[in-house]
Amino acid sequence: MDVTTTEPSSARKNYLNWDHSWQSWLFTLDHKRIGILYLISISAMFFLGAVAISLVRVELATPRGDLVESETYNKLFSAHGIIMVFFFLVPSIPATLGNFLIPLMIGARDLAFPRLNLLSWYLFTIGGGFAMTAFITGGVDTGWYFYTPYSSTYSNNQVALTIIGVFIAGFSSIATGVNFIVTIHKMRAPGLTWFRLPLFIWAHYATSVIIVLGTPVVAITLLLVLLERAFRIGVFDPALGGDPILFQHMFWFYSHPAVYIMILPSMGVISELMAAFTKKRVFGYSFIAFSSIAIALLGFLVWGHHLFTTGQSMYAGMVFSVLSFLVAVPSAIKVFNWTATIYKGQVEFTAPMLYALGFIGLFTIGGLTGLFLAAMAVDIHLHDTYFIVAHFHYIMVGGALFGYLGGLHYWWPKITGRMYPEGWAKLAAGITFVGFNLTFFPQFILGQMGMPRRYHFYPEEWQALNVLSSAGASILGLGYAIPLFYFLWSLRYGKLADANPWRAVGLEWRVPSPPPAHNFDEIPIVVWEAYEFVPEDADEAEQDREAMPGVPAGGHE
Amino acid sequence: MSVQVKQRRRGHVEPRPEGAVQEVAHQFEDIGQQNESYIVGMWSFLVTEIMFFGGIFMTYIVYRTKYPQTFTIASGELDWKAGFLNTLILLTSSLSMAFAVRNAQLGKRWRTLLCLGITILCAFGFLGVKTVEYSTKWAHHLVPGPNFHFSRHGGEQAAPADRGTSFVEDASPETSGGGAKPEGEIPQHEAQLFFGLYFASTGLHGVHVIIGIILLAYWGGLVQFNARAARDFIPIEMVGLYWHFVDIVWIFLYPLLYLIGSPKL
Ligand SMILES: [Cu+2]
């Protein structure tokens, strides 16, 4: 299998430079380019969502509602939630890093359905367009979960337009999920068995299962809200014999698992980072792999913990409470195994590793405070307070977003062929970590003291903590802005990256950076296990890597 | 090293030159992988469709359990004969679809076209019957909205007790007398919920039928006008899976909506 077709890397054609026309981007079927299209789109969405919440945090710096009226305030936090959940977090890692890396990691030339992949980006863009139109032409004030009957009967702003946007974006998500499932099942390179797959792939497989099972349910739910608004069929309107709580059941049937759509890919990234920067096989590989599947399946059985205070039977509440506690088990399995991976590893504190370590700590806090909320009696006290806001931001930002940023740094050399500036990146990781904790830790305390979410004014005695939180948010904003600048800077001025700058293992590091359009000159044959680090002849392997895509790092045959 | 590509599961079909010249897209290694990928993809998509319709069936279950009696009475307002006719039409279309798939696999273009044509005709027949049903409901003010008014129509609707509503009485004895209430007392909102769900579910199903017609016509056109595309039977097989799914949804919708009351014979 020796292939010795090396070209000088300067003249080498890769997926970025083989064609520069705009058509070659907008009609591309290359999973790597579609990943980049997604990266640009969701970065723009992230920026818009961040602007909305900045205004919220400025408003909350004083106890009085002095910056915006309550209606504007409602529209701001709704826009923040809708954008961040449906247009940033759900597609974030799968559609960018997943899209880019899954074929590379499993030794395939592309995803199974490239045209479907491109369609998913267009659907995402169209859905985003609808949502943006809604925000510009009056906004929506229902919050991101569109509770009925407010959303279906009473709200008189752009609910319909927003829901159509979310509905369309849902199909983009489904397209991605179906594509990943088929690709992972059918397109693995010869010899790449399920238990030789990187854990990133397992995580994305579990995510895709959730997407395929969950997204259609929220689609039909939102469609029923639309029908209700248009024809008053009454399914969610108590005045017409309908049941608004049915909406909550159906909505959270998707939207609790959706939390795992956001966090599982991030966990996959963390597994990769842990292996790469400790130079060890991830401890408890199969436990981490199966815990992803367990989270995906258990995640569908816990939605009722959102309805403890909403007229759900006590006995149903007890069952949901127990099941919610159970989700902590596979989550903890992951955390313990990552921690065990560090033990006796050669830990390198690179920027991606800093994000990964941040993830472990913040995800643990987010997960443990989740147990408070899964306990029915405690939840009565904490429901709809800032405690829950802090809890899910520790999962969504401290977890999902840290994993995303860590992964983006880690694979940036692969994606662009350039290194990011390490010093700046470490600084940004540190600032993000500090800013994040300063923003959200005070909210745990505020929530515990009883401050409800979604009000734009509050009693004087909570001002100090709110000011801390707003100050933290501005630091966090700085932490997000710095990477934006140095990533763009590195595109032109960054140090050229070789095929494997981190000395990591994995098929994606065996192709040049950036990869050629067709990924592999020859499809590799995998005869080694996942994360098989071979320290003794690492240097030799490093020299061989670029030249011999078919040969494993240590020359095992 | 030598990793064998699994024999395609349709390998028992007699060797046909057509299969060998199916084009392999760039991302696939061989035709077996490509064909399997498309079929697995279609099944995954159908899973999403099941969950999609599952949501509306769930809603139906909730309100049928909540208002069993009104649902039974309101269901009697639907024309079970039209529904039965549509069931027959859809089953026939599924049969011809299955023949179309088989003929496509065998590379018999004209027979494939004929079968696809029959399927499309049946689909239009189904939509035709549905249109008649919808317009009757419109005329009887049974479309949810400000004009909604539920009252029983037709001659033979005396008291429901005469219509043998024994299972209603079994299900909820305390409300069994309600069936004998004068029609003005049938809760309008509950009946509106039934018809809301009727229109939502059959409407969504109808949209799927229309999408099916477009897919069938598109692939039929390819079979007719594009000899190279005609050799690839997998798209027809995928459309076939979709069409059978649409059929199965109706198989569930028909009894749940039309047959829970006691039909007017
Ligand atoms: Cu939840």
Side-chain angles (χ1 to χ4, degrees), chain A residues 252-298:
Chain A
W252 289 112
F253 180 84
Y254 163 77
S255 291
H256 184 84
V259 171
Y260 302 127
I261 295 178
M262 305 172 206
I263 194 77
L264 274 171
S266 198
M267 292 168 155
V269 170
I270 300 303
S271 298
E272 299 300 310
L273 296 182
M274 281 297 153
F277 294 114
T278 60
K279 297 286 178 286
K280 269 178 72 185
R281 180 179 161 86
V282 175
F283 187 84
Y285 172 96
S286 52
F287 281 87
I288 293 194
F290 279 117
S291 65
S292 290
I293 306 293
I295 287 176
L297 298 180
L298 272 177

Side-chain angles (χ1 to χ4, degrees), chain B residues 162-213:
Chain B
D162 304 344
R163 308 197 288 132
T165 50
S166 58
F167 94 90
V168 176
E169 287 162 359
D170 293 345
S172 50
E174 75 281 2
T175 56
S176 64
K181 275 189 282 189
E183 65 184 37
E185 286 182 36
I186 296 166
Q188 291 295 316
H189 290 155
E190 298 174 13
Q192 179 167 319
L193 259 177
F194 177 83
F195 284 99
L197 284 170
Y198 165 77
F199 280 106
S201 53
T202 57
L204 274 180
H205 179 258
V207 168
H208 279 75
V209 172
I210 293 168
I211 293 172
I213 291 175

Side-chain angles (χ1 to χ4, degrees), chain B residues 28-198:
Chain B
F28 295 113
E29 288 301 291
D30 54 58
I31 192 65
Q33 187 188 35
Q34 170 169 323
N35 289 349
E36 286 184 2
S37 296
Y38 278 108
I39 296 300
V40 173
M42 194 63 205
W43 277 106
S44 311
F45 172 71
L46 291 183
V47 169
T48 72
E49 287 277 34
I50 290 170
M51 296 305 289
F52 188 75
F53 278 97
I56 205 154
F57 280 119
M58 180 72 218
T59 316
Y60 171 88
I61 291 169
V62 167
Y63 291 116
R64 167 131 180 238
T65 319
K66 201 167 175 185
Y67 309 120
Q69 197 174 21
T70 310
F71 267 47
T72 319
I73 297 167
S75 162
E77 220 37 50
L78 297 178
D79 186 351
W80 71 268
K81 288 170 198 156
F84 183 70
L85 179 62
N86 259 349
T87 310
L88 283 184
I89 291 174
L90 270 194
L91 285 176
T92 312
S93 78
S94 256
L95 181 69
S96 66
M97 188 70 233
F99 281 131
V101 170
R102 180 63 179 166
N103 282 312
Q105 287 174 350
L106 295 174
K108 296 186 173 160
R109 269 171 86 184
W110 294 109
R111 287 194 190 183
T112 310
L113 261 182
L114 179 70
C115 293
L116 289 178
I118 295 173
T119 314
I120 293 177
L121 274 182
C122 288
F124 275 112
F126 177 88
L127 290 177
V129 174
K130 211 75 220 149
T131 312
V132 173
E133 282 190 78
Y134 276 10
S135 50
T136 320
K137 299 292 165 293
W138 176 260
H140 291 174
H141 301 288
L142 293 177
V143 179
N147 290 326
F148 182 85
H149 180 75
F150 180 73
S151 57
R152 276 177 255 158
H153 298 87
E156 61 278 76
Q157 288 153 356
D162 304 344
R163 308 197 288 132
T165 50
S166 58
F167 94 90
V168 176
E169 287 162 359
D170 293 345
S172 50
E174 75 281 2
T175 56
S176 64
K181 275 189 282 189
E183 65 184 37
E185 286 182 36
I186 296 166
Q188 291 295 316
H189 290 155
E190 298 174 13
Q192 179 167 319
L193 259 177
F194 177 83
F195 284 99
L197 284 170
Y198 165 77

Side-chain angles (χ1 to χ4, degrees), chain A residues 142-155 159 163 220-229 234-239 242-252 307 310 454, chain B residues 63:
Chain A
T142 58
W144 74 274
Y145 39 68
F146 307 109
Y147 266 13
T148 55
Y150 183 65
S151 65
S152 55
T153 310
Y154 301 107
S155 175
V159 180
I163 285 183
I220 186 73
T221 311
L222 294 178
L223 196 63
L224 284 172
V225 172
L226 275 185
L227 289 177
E228 176 105 22
R229 280 183 81 84
V235 276
F236 299 134
D237 186 352
D243 185 355
I245 295 179
L246 177 66
F247 172 87
Q248 299 186 18
H249 280 288
M250 290 171 73
F251 182 82
W252 289 112
L307 290 95
T310 335
R454 300 190 164 178
Chain B
Y63 291 116

Side-chain angles (χ1 to χ4, degrees), chain A residues 1-257:
Chain A
M1 283 303 300
D2 287 31
V3 188
T4 47
T5 50
T6 33
E7 300 161 56
S9 65
S10 54
R12 197 172 50 77
K13 282 284 178 196
N14 59 48
Y15 82 100
L16 289 169
N17 65 9
W18 69 272
D19 189 343
H20 290 287
S21 65
W22 62 269
Q23 294 96 330
S24 74
W25 279 94
L26 286 185
F27 302 113
T28 182
L29 297 179
D30 184 343
H31 66 103
K32 302 181 287 299
R33 284 191 166 201
I34 296 170
I36 293 200
L37 292 177
Y38 259 117
L39 179 65
I40 296 166
S41 313
I42 68 165
S43 301
M45 285 296 184
F46 180 78
F47 174 75
L48 292 169
V51 168
I53 206 61
S54 310
L55 293 169
V56 165
R57 271 328 314 173
V58 173
E59 164 62 60
L60 289 175
T62 58
R64 295 167 306 284
D66 39 17
L67 179 70
V68 291
E69 292 169 20
S70 45
E71 196 183 340
T72 316
Y73 181 84
N74 293 348
K75 288 176 180 171
L76 284 174
F77 72 67
S78 301
H80 169 72
I82 291 163
I83 292 174
M84 288 303 199
V85 170
F86 296 112
F87 296 100
F88 176 73
L89 283 166
V90 167
S92 62
I93 294 181
T96 56
L97 296 174
N99 232 331
F100 192 96
L101 291 165
I102 286 177
L104 287 171
M105 284 183 164
I106 67 172
R109 298 201 190 282
D110 206 318
L111 290 174
F113 310 123
R115 274 179 294 180
L116 185 67
N117 197 17
L118 183 64
L119 176 70
S120 96
W121 180 72
Y122 276 103
L123 288 176
F124 176 79
T125 311
I126 295 168
F130 270 99
M132 285 309 128
T133 313
F135 297 143
I136 293 166
T137 58
V140 59
D141 65 351
T142 58
W144 74 274
Y145 39 68
F146 307 109
Y147 266 13
T148 55
Y150 183 65
S151 65
S152 55
T153 310
Y154 301 107
S155 175
N156 60 357
N157 43 51
Q158 301 288 11
V159 180
L161 217 48
T162 317
I163 285 183
I164 292 171
V166 172
F167 187 82
I168 296 173
F171 282 100
S172 115
S173 185
I174 289 175
T176 305
V178 167
N179 222 338
F180 285 179
I181 287 180
V182 175
T183 306
I184 295 171
H185 265 288
K186 290 290 165 197
M187 300 187 70
R188 284 170 284 125
L192 190 55
T193 60
W194 282 89
F195 289 97
R196 286 176 173 174
L197 286 173
L199 289 164
F200 183 85
I201 302 291
W202 276 94
H204 274 78
Y205 185 78
T207 307
S208 305
V209 169
I210 303 175
I211 289 176
V212 163
L213 291 178
T215 315
V217 178
V218 82
I220 186 73
T221 311
L222 294 178
L223 196 63
L224 284 172
V225 172
L226 275 185
L227 289 177
E228 176 105 22
R229 280 183 81 84
F231 302 108
R232 302 266 285 141
I233 58 175
V235 276
F236 299 134
D237 186 352
L240 295 177
D243 185 355
I245 295 179
L246 177 66
F247 172 87
Q248 299 186 18
H249 280 288
M250 290 171 73
F251 182 82
W252 289 112
F253 180 84
Y254 163 77
S255 291
H256 184 84

